[in-house]
Every structure is written in structure tokens, then in C-alpha cells.
């Protein structure tokens, strides 16, 4: 549930960018005036404004993720979603938040595990169901645990 809460603003921001692309598409038509008289041909493409809006939305969405899952989670132990769900990510050895750098590394490892193999990504997320410490594979790799607030 925390993951959904964390990524919903990201998806909304990206959706606004794609909405701008769809809303500003341009259609250009050309009429064939050759001896074959084939008629009119039309093509629809993305506008410069729409592509710029999508690029801007992608930058804003990435900045949100870096702030929420890097800075906020690294400093306090909880992203927005984890705060709402009342738990935090801490170092297994110190019990303190893991800091910005390790929080970014943690999220990048999740992306790598998801990208390498869909099954590995699923196993990574389901691993806490049978693990004694309720850690994902990423948490085991970087020695973090999730604790109630």
C-alpha cells in the first residue's frame, strides 16, 4: 500500500504530461496534385509544446521521486507512503535512517531487480512473507529492515 501511495503522485504528473501530448497533437494534410490524383493524405504527430510538456513533467516527476524516496526516506526513514502506513526503513545495525545515498541505492536496486527479470522482482517483493525478519531481497543486500513507527 505504501508503494501505491508513493508512486500515485508520480503517475499523475506523468499522466498530465501525456495528456498534454495528446491534447496538442497536430494534423497535417497534403493533397496529391500529380497525374495520378490520389487525393488527400493526412498525418497526425506530436507538437513541440506537447513534447516539451511531457519532458517537463518527467523532470518534475523524477524530482518528486528523488525527494520522497531519496531525501525524505533517507533522512526520516519514511517516505510519504511509509509515513501514512506507519513504518520506516532503518539500518539493521544502527536502527537509524539510512541516509540519502543508501536510500537512492535501495530504490535503484529495486529497479534493477524488476528490470532483470519479472519473476525476480516478484520474489523480491514477496520475500517478506516467509522471511523471519520480513526483509525483501534488497533489504537483505543492503542490510536494512522495516520497522513500525
Amino acid at each position: 500500500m505504501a508503494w501505491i501511495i508513493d508512486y500515485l503522485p508520480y503517475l499523475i504528473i506523468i499522466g498530465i504530461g501525456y495528456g498534454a501530448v495528446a491534447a496538442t497533437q497536430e494534423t497535417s494534410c497534403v493533397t496529391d496534385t500529380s497525374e495520378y490524383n490520389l487525393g488527400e493524405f493526412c498525418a497526425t504527430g506530436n507538437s513541440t509544446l506537447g513534447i516539451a510538456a511531457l519532458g517537463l513533467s518527467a523532470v518534475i516527476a523524477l524530482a518528486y521521486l528523488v525527494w520522497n524516496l531519496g531525501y525524505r526516506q533517507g533522512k526520516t526513514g519514511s517516505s510519504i507512503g511509509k509515513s501514512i502506513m506507519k513504518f520506516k526503513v532503518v539500518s539493521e545495525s544502527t536502527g537509524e535512517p539510512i541516509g540519502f545515498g543508501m536510500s537512492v541505492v535501495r530504490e535503484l536496486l529495486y529497479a534493477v531487480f524488476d528490470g532483470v527479470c519479472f519473476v525476480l522482482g516478484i520474489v523480491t517483493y514477496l520475500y517478506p512473507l516467509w522471511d523471519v525478519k520480513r526483509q525483501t531481497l534488497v533489504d537483505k543486500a543492503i542490510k536494512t529492515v522495516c520497522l513500525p513507527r
Side-chain angles (χ1 to χ4, degrees):
M1 190 64 181
W3 185 90
I4 292 170
I5 294 167
D6 284 334
Y7 278 89
L8 190 59
Y10 170 82
L11 294 173
I12 290 170
I13 294 167
I14 292 294
I16 290 169
Y18 277 109
V21 167
T24 61
Q25 283 189 333
E26 300 171 335
T27 301
S28 178
C29 296
V30 176
T31 303
D32 179 25
T33 57
S34 69
E35 61 190 71
Y36 301 108
N37 195 21
L38 297 174
E40 187 173 73
F41 298 95
C42 295
T44 301
N46 297 328
S47 70
T48 304
L49 178 64
I51 295 299
L54 178 60
L56 180 62
S57 72
V59 168
I60 292 169
L62 181 62
Y64 160 77
L65 286 179
V66 169
W67 170 78
N68 187 40
L69 298 174
Y71 178 76
R72 188 175 197 276
Q73 179 173 276
K75 186 173 180 176
T76 66
S78 293
S79 61
I80 292 171
K82 289 176 186 71
S83 292
I84 291 171
M85 298 307 295
K86 299 187 182 340
F87 71 96
K88 60 185 176 177
V89 177
V90 296
S91 169
E92 192 173 18
S93 59
T94 66
E96 296 295 318
I98 58 177
F100 175 77
M102 284 307 291
S103 189
V104 169
V105 167
R106 182 177 185 268
E107 296 306 318
L108 289 175
L109 280 174
Y110 277 115
V112 167
F113 279 22
D114 290 344
V116 167
C117 175
F118 177 76
V119 173
L120 181 60
I122 295 297
V123 170
T124 298
Y125 290 111
L126 295 180
Y127 204 83
L129 296 175
W130 58 80
D131 183 62
V132 175
K133 294 181 185 177
R134 301 184 54 88
Q135 292 174 295
T136 66
L137 292 177
V138 170
D139 288 327
K140 287 196 173 296
I142 63 170
K143 299 186 183 346
T144 56
V145 290
C146 292
L147 301 173
R149 276 192 147 312

